[in-house]
Amino acid sequence: MRVNCLRISVTDRCNLSCVYCHPARDRDFVQDDEVLTFDEIHRIVRLFADCGIENVRLTGGEPLLRRDLPLLVTRLAAIERIRELTLTTNGVRLKQMAGELKAAGLDRVNISVDSLEADNYKQITGRDVLSRVVEGIHKALEVGLQPVKINAVILRGVNHSQILAFAKISIDVPVTVRFIEYCQTSEGTPAADDYVPCREIRSVIERAYGPLSRATVRPSNGPALYLKIGGAIGAIGFIAGRSTRFCRSCNRIRISSDGKIRPCLYSDYTCDIGQVMRNGTSDGQIRNILARAIGCKHTFTRPDSLVRGFSMRKVGG
Ligand code: SAM
């Protein structure tokens, strides 16, 4: 699979403390002077575009916390050969920012929501803001940040009672609800075995709604399997990163908020491109480094678990 998708974590700060991602007691943040500047991010994306990157996703942490984010969106959207610019957000600030982001050139958003029940949502994220997130989803649809995808990580004993509520949204709202298998990132997060495999989620949905059929979801580049309930407007996606290995179809490369290129989430191989840029390295040399990072992407053998000390909010989920 050709690597054509770049994910950039624009901040490791978040306004939620999801139990599986960023436990409240985790205070190990990147220093301000280590965070990539807009000029640095723009330069990296421009040079990555020369190496075949066509899709860029801004993530975090919570990307909507990064000051002046629409200015960065405007600059990245203007780079030739970048065909799609997207963002993954928890949606808490989306209602206020969706219109400005769309006008700046953002194509679409993925919104993470792990429960549709207010108390359960608060238990997972630490904040009572579900209604704001739902307003953010509607605003994204209204301003045309589409197709909107909703990401849900299902944990046994935490929110697995929400599976059918999520599936039901796809029947009459034009969104794709994606179930992402949980991967344990550190000792402070739920046990690895608390994950609910996508095949189990699918069978819960099929018991209620009958067999799911294939859905066409654009863009569909990536490892998700897209299906739909009969007669539904929306679709359901399954991202089985834990129970299956989709390394060969993985087309992503990541940059952490402190400027480290990460070709594979499961490998500790990184290259500190932020530091390299600050040493006055030329565009040509940087392009060679980026091409090498892309080239080694499919050379890793994936272990069962993420590397010790891995931080999803720093690397960018
Ligand atoms: N703050 C934004 C958000 O909530 O979407 C972007 C960052 S968040 C790290 C990106 C995605 O990673 C979210 O959909 C989240 O559910 C997912 N994620 C975080 N930790 C995860 C984990 N341990 N296993 C699987 N997915 C995870």
Side-chain angles (χ1 to χ4, degrees):
M1 170 71 74
R2 191 163 71 84
V3 178
N4 63 356
C5 188
L6 171 66
R7 289 189 172 197
I8 305 173
S9 171
V10 295
T11 177
D12 64 337
R13 312 285 163 144
C14 194
N15 43 3
L16 298 181
S17 302
C18 299
V19 284
Y20 61 85
C21 179
H22 176 201
R25 64 180 178 280
D26 171 9
R27 309 299 306 163
D28 174 25
F29 291 107
V30 172
Q31 299 297 309
D32 286 352
D33 60 353
E34 290 174 358
V35 175
L36 291 177
T37 65
F38 285 180
D39 282 344
E40 288 167 340
I41 293 174
H42 180 266
R43 187 176 180 205
I44 291 174
V45 173
R46 178 172 57 77
L47 297 174
F48 255 130
D50 293 341
C51 303
I53 293 294
E54 299 168 322
N55 305 317
V56 174
R57 171 170 298 280
L58 304 178
T59 181
E62 173 47 38
L64 300 191
L65 292 186
R66 180 76 188 249
R67 189 178 302 159
D68 296 328
L69 189 75
L71 293 181
L72 178 66
V73 169
T74 304
R75 293 183 65 183
L76 298 184
I79 297 175
E80 242 184 286
R81 290 192 299 270
I82 295 302
R83 289 172 31 188
E84 193 184 47
L85 182 60
T86 61
L87 179 118
T88 300
T89 173
N90 58 33
V92 175
R93 290 190 169 191
L94 193 54
K95 186 181 174 193
Q96 299 93 296
M97 295 183 67
E100 200 182 348
L101 289 167
K102 176 71 184 172
L106 191 73
D107 290 304
R108 60 184 184 85
V109 283
N110 289 1
I111 305 164
S112 306
V113 193
D114 296 314
S115 180
L116 297 168
E117 201 274 305
D119 287 343
N120 190 213
Y121 182 90
K122 183 177 173 200
Q123 177 199 354
I124 296 166
T125 64
R127 288 189 65 195
D128 188 7
V129 287
L130 177 62
S131 57
R132 270 160 68 177
V133 176
V134 171
E135 286 174 354
I137 294 172
H138 288 295
K139 192 70 184 178
L141 289 167
E142 185 189 314
V143 302
L145 285 170
Q146 295 192 45
V148 169
K149 294 181 181 168
I150 293 178
N151 291 340
V153 173
I154 302 294
L155 286 163
R156 205 176 297 286
V158 177
N159 60 347
H160 82 276
S161 61
Q162 289 289 300
I163 294 171
L164 288 181
F166 278 115
K168 192 164 178 288
I169 303 182
S170 76
I171 298 178
D172 34 40
V173 184
V175 296
T176 298
V177 175
R178 308 194 311 167
F179 294 103
I180 302 177
E181 284 180 354
Y182 164 65
C183 301
Q184 191 186 32
T185 53
S186 66
E187 274 150 27
T189 53
D193 286 347
D194 289 347
Y195 94 109
V196 181
C198 281
R199 64 175 174 282
E200 183 179 329
I201 297 174
R202 179 175 174 175
S203 72
V204 169
I205 298 170
E206 291 193 320
R207 269 201 301 278
Y209 292 105
L212 302 178
S213 55
R214 282 268 172 181
T216 310
V217 171
R218 291 194 200 289
S220 63
N221 52 343
L225 167 68
Y226 289 113
L227 302 172
K228 63 188 287 186
I229 294 171
I233 304 175
I236 300 175
F238 296 96
I239 305 181
R242 172 81 199 284
S243 63
T244 62
R245 305 220 163 179
F246 46 61
C247 302
R248 287 278 138 211
S249 65
C250 180
N251 57 353
R252 290 157 194 184
I253 191 156
R254 290 177 163 83
I255 299 207
S256 61
S257 50
D258 56 350
K260 307 217 171 47
I261 305 178
R262 203 166 190 128
C264 170
L265 275 187
Y266 286 82
S267 161
D268 57 3
Y269 171 88
T270 59
C271 166
D272 192 341
I273 199 69
Q275 193 56 50
V276 169
M277 282 192 299
R278 288 164 196 166
N279 288 342
T281 313
S282 71
D283 277 3
Q285 287 167 311
I286 292 176
R287 214 178 276 116
N288 288 341
I289 293 170
L290 302 183
R292 269 207 302 280
I294 289 176
C296 72
K297 158 103 186 144
H298 288 121
T299 62
F300 303 109
T301 305
R302 205 197 105 165
D304 269 344
S305 49
L306 293 162
V307 289
R308 267 186 101 74
F310 179 88
S311 162
M312 196 65 96
R313 65 186 164 76
K314 214 177 272 179
V315 175

